Structures are given as C-alpha cells and as structure tokens.
Amino acid sequence: MKEKIKIEVQYFNGCPNSEEMIRRIKEAINGLADSVEYNEVLVETNELAQELHFMGSPTVLINGVDLEKREIPTLASLNCRYYPQGLPGSIQIREQVIELIR
C-alpha cells in the first residue's frame, strides 16, 4: 500500500481565517481517510513558530510542502497569513491531494 499523504494545518487561535481553512481542508479530504493523514497544529508561541518555520495562520502543508509552494521564512512569528487570491477552495485543495494519491 502507498504511504499516506500527510496534511497539516498550522494556525493560532484568533486568526480570522483559521476556522474556515480547517473547514475547507476537512471538506477536501472527506472520503479520503485511507489515503490521507490529517493533523492540526496549534501554534501558541513565537518560539514554536520559529521551530516550525511558521508561515502565518493558517498554513497548510502537504507532505511538508506549503500548499502555495511559498519559501520558508527565516524569521517566523505569530502572524496571520495573507492569501493574495483568497483562501484556497476545498476543490483546489482536493485536486492537489488527488494528484499526489495517483
């Protein structure tokens, strides 16, 4: 059997987009439990943000790679993340995951 796709959402409480991104990810991976391992990481301190190379809340990593393929920051802190085109939709996320499953 193929190794599961690892999806991780990094966020902090108080970020206005975190709940919506988590909802979209869960919608995107609905029905893919056999192929996907899902994890949420609550980033509560600047120290943890540095350790994780946190790109802002919410950040989605698929197999350790940023959903938007952004570069890892040299300095990380508890900031909200800006998505220039808006939050990725569940269909867009699902398509990326399905591509990796194939």
Side-chain angles (χ1 to χ4, degrees), residues 9-98:
V9 179
Q10 299 175 344
Y11 70 101
F12 64 83
N13 289 325
C15 176
N17 290 321
S18 294
E19 285 184 32
E20 179 61 19
M21 180 63 89
I22 289 169
R23 186 193 68 72
R24 290 179 187 195
I25 294 293
K26 288 179 178 178
E27 184 177 302
I29 63 174
N30 185 32
L32 301 175
D34 290 343
S35 302
V36 173
E37 179 183 316
Y38 174 74
N39 189 34
E40 294 175 12
V41 177
L42 179 60
V43 182
E44 297 182 288
T45 66
N46 281 320
E47 291 78 21
L48 182 56
Q50 280 293 328
E51 182 182 320
L52 295 173
H53 304 287
F54 187 51
M55 293 184 240
S57 179
T59 288
V60 178
L61 302 175
I62 300 177
N63 287 338
V65 176
D66 182 61
L67 180 69
E68 292 189 316
K69 313 284 191 277
R70 287 191 190 176
E71 294 295 318
I72 295 173
T74 53
L75 293 174
S77 62
L78 295 178
N79 292 309
C80 288
R81 181 162 175 171
Y82 174 67
Y83 287 87
Q85 309 328 165
L87 287 178
S90 57
I91 293 172
Q92 176 189 353
I93 296 164
R94 187 175 182 90
E95 287 172 353
Q96 286 190 32
V97 171
I98 295 288

